[in-house]
């Protein structure tokens, strides 16, 4: 027996109501989309609204300084997405970056070596929909990228070195970021090395645990400028004194090639000396640096790498001075030693300073 007409009408009304729930009208769809955008704008304060390209193409020390600075800036500006443009091997410095920070590579030795390659690279950047381009390099390549990005609507900023510039490079970089309207923290975060890199380091140096009871000391005797390099004969005397004390295990840092060959000679001569140059990647070298009690280095990129992981560095200055602006972040004035033609820095003075800084 069929149900009454009134009950049929109610059932039809329920069926119609259920159908509308599964097939929303055009008004319902528009209302849902509009509500989601309003929710993102007002409810989520960290929704990214700006894409910013940071350019720093050369120098390991400067790149390490920029990477540490951008870690802090990215954390202080969660409403921005930062892309750090550098050379391929330097992008390895971005360990566990914040969620709103990424790396992009420009190969200045191959594809982007000449003007035409840089122009093609800059043209491809239009897909990134950049809002701002901050040039911390100041080279012809970065100028081309900055100018080309401006044609696509990105607002350009660049560092202003010179007599009216800030006293240090870190302050110069910070000043440019502030001009771009970004918050720059006064204290910069340290880089956290991931567990997988630690395991890779253990595989390369399987016997390193035998040195756990020793003081871990790092030495980086080389620099890109030969005039900054500490003389080899005096470096030999310093390492010999360290080995005679039987308190230290020394890790040597340098670049692959000629530097690695020179440092490997110390490794063959002394059982408590380990050479990392040409053996570990840049990322794996930072694992060692993070564990060091002290790093002895020239005015080069090594003190800046040590600053990334919070390791104290004793810097030897030869033809440059800290006033030139290349001091590592959080470097202390008492950690500077000077080697001049008038007053040569002998290994005994360095050894005495190492002893004073590594006492338990």
């Amino acid at each position: 027996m069929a149900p009454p007409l009134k009950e049929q009408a109610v059932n039809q009304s329920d069926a119609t109501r259920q159908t509308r729930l599964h097939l929303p009208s055009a008004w319902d769809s528009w209302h849902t989309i509009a509500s989601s955008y309003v929710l993102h704008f007002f409810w989520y304060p960290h929704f990214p609204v700006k894409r910013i390209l940071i350019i720093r193409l050369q120098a390991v020390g400067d790149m390490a300084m920029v990477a540490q600075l951008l870690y802090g800036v990215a954390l202080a500006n969660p409403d921005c997405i930062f892309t750090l443009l550098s050379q391929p091997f330097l992008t390895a410095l971005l360990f566990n970056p914040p969620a709103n920070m990424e790396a992009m590579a420009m190969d200045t030795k191959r594809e982007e070596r000449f003007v035409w390659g840089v122009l093609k690279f800059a043209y491809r950047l239009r897909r990134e929909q950049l809002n701002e381009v901050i040039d911390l390099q100041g080279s012809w390549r970065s100028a081309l990228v900055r100018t080309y990005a401006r044609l696509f609507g990105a607002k350009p900023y660049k560092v202003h070195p010179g007599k009216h510039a800030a006293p240090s490079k870190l302050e110069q970089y910070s000043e440019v970021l502030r001009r771009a309207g970004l918050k720059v923290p006064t204290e910069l975060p340290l880089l956290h090395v991931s567990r997988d890199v630690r395991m890779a380091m253990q595989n390369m140096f399987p016997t390193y645990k035998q040195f756990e009871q020793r003081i871990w000391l790092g030495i980086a005797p080389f620099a890109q400028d030969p005039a900054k390099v500490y003389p080899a004969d005096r470096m030999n005397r310093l390492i010999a004194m360290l080995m005679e004390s039987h308190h230290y295990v020394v890790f040597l840092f340098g670049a692959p090639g000629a530097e690695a060959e020179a440092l490997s000679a110390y490794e063959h001569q002394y059982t408590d000396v380990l050479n990392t140059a040409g053996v570990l990647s840049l990322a794996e070298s930072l694992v060692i640096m993070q564990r060091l009690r002290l790093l002895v280095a020239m005015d080069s990129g090594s003190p800046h790498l040590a600053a990334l992981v919070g390791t104290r560095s004793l810097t030897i200055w030869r033809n440059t001075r800290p006033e030139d602006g290349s001091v590592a972040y959080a470097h202390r004035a008492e950690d500077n030693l000077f080697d001049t033609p008038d007053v040569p820095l002998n290994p005994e003075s360095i050894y005495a300073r190492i002893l004073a800084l590594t006492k338990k």
Side-chain angles (χ1 to χ4, degrees), residues 305-320:
L305 294 175
L308 268 178
V309 292
T311 296
R312 190 172 185 177
S313 61
L314 182 64
T315 305
I316 300 174
W317 303 83
R318 303 199 74 212
N319 64 336
T320 55

Side-chain angles (χ1 to χ4, degrees), residues 25 27 41 75 78 80 86 98 109 125 131 152 155 163 178-179 185 187 194 223 271 284 290 318 360:
S25 64
W27 167 260
F41 188 79
L75 293 172
C80 302
S86 189
K109 301 197 181 293
L125 283 178
N131 300 103
F152 296 107
K155 190 172 182 180
K163 63 179 181 179
R178 291 191 188 95
R179 277 198 284 118
E187 294 186 4
S194 60
T271 57
E284 292 162 347
Q290 190 179 41
R318 303 199 74 212
K360 295 184 178 180

Side-chain angles (χ1 to χ4, degrees), residues 34-50:
S35 299
S36 65
Y37 275 102
V38 170
L39 195 63
H40 272 303
F41 188 79
F42 290 103
W43 186 257
Y44 299 109
H46 301 322
F47 183 71
V49 295
K50 284 200 302 185

Side-chain angles (χ1 to χ4, degrees), residues 176-195:
V176 179
L177 296 173
R178 291 191 188 95
R179 277 198 284 118
L182 298 171
K183 301 174 185 176
V184 180
T186 54
E187 294 186 4
L188 302 182
L190 299 178
L191 185 148
H192 298 287
V193 182
S194 60
R195 182 178 178 84

Side-chain angles (χ1 to χ4, degrees), residues 40-243:
H40 272 303
F41 188 79
F42 290 103
W43 186 257
Y44 299 109
H46 301 322
F47 183 71
V49 295
K50 284 200 302 185
R51 296 189 65 90
I52 302 175
L53 180 71
I54 313 289
I55 306 174
R56 182 68 216 188
L57 299 174
Q58 295 176 345
V60 174
D62 289 340
M63 179 61 183
M65 194 186 309
V66 169
Q68 188 170 16
L69 176 61
L70 287 186
Y71 269 61
V73 172
L75 293 172
N77 299 269
D79 57 339
C80 302
I81 296 178
F82 298 89
T83 301
L84 179 57
L85 177 61
S86 189
Q87 295 192 57
F89 77 98
L90 290 176
T91 58
L93 288 174
L94 265 65
F95 267 117
N96 301 325
N100 59 333
M101 184 178 174
E102 59 187 7
M104 181 183 294
M106 173 186 281
D107 196 343
T108 60
K109 301 197 181 293
R110 295 183 180 178
E111 287 85 357
E112 288 80 37
R113 183 178 181 182
F114 301 107
V115 175
W116 179 243
V118 177
L119 287 175
K120 289 196 296 183
F121 182 91
Y123 181 73
R124 292 196 299 269
L125 283 178
R126 76 191 188 282
R127 306 170 190 166
E128 301 295 325
Q129 298 180 347
L130 299 171
N131 300 103
E132 295 177 359
V133 175
I134 302 177
D135 181 6
L136 301 181
Q137 180 66 45
S139 65
W140 66 268
R141 289 187 181 91
S142 62
L144 277 179
V145 173
R146 187 181 72 241
T147 304
Y148 218 99
R150 186 175 187 178
L151 299 177
F152 296 107
K155 190 172 182 180
Y157 298 89
K158 65 177 181 178
V159 67
H160 291 298
K163 63 179 181 179
H164 298 297
S168 72
K169 288 185 178 180
L170 185 61
E171 293 177 7
Q172 293 175 21
Y173 299 153
S174 300
E175 188 269 335
V176 179
L177 296 173
R178 291 191 188 95
R179 277 198 284 118
L182 298 171
K183 301 174 185 176
V184 180
T186 54
E187 294 186 4
L188 302 182
L190 299 178
L191 185 148
H192 298 287
V193 182
S194 60
R195 182 178 178 84
D196 57 338
V197 179
R198 290 176 183 270
M199 295 177 63
M201 183 271 295
Q202 293 174 11
N203 293 333
M204 297 230 178
F205 291 115
T207 61
Y208 87 102
K209 288 188 177 180
Q210 73 186 51
F211 303 115
E212 287 291 339
Q213 303 304 319
R214 302 283 185 89
I215 298 174
W216 285 30
L217 179 73
I219 297 181
F222 294 104
Q224 190 172 9
D225 183 1
K228 297 181 180 180
V229 178
Y230 193 63
D233 57 337
R234 284 186 271 171
M235 182 57 66
N236 293 340
R237 287 163 50 197
L238 174 62
I239 294 179
M241 285 187 287
L242 291 170
M243 293 300 98

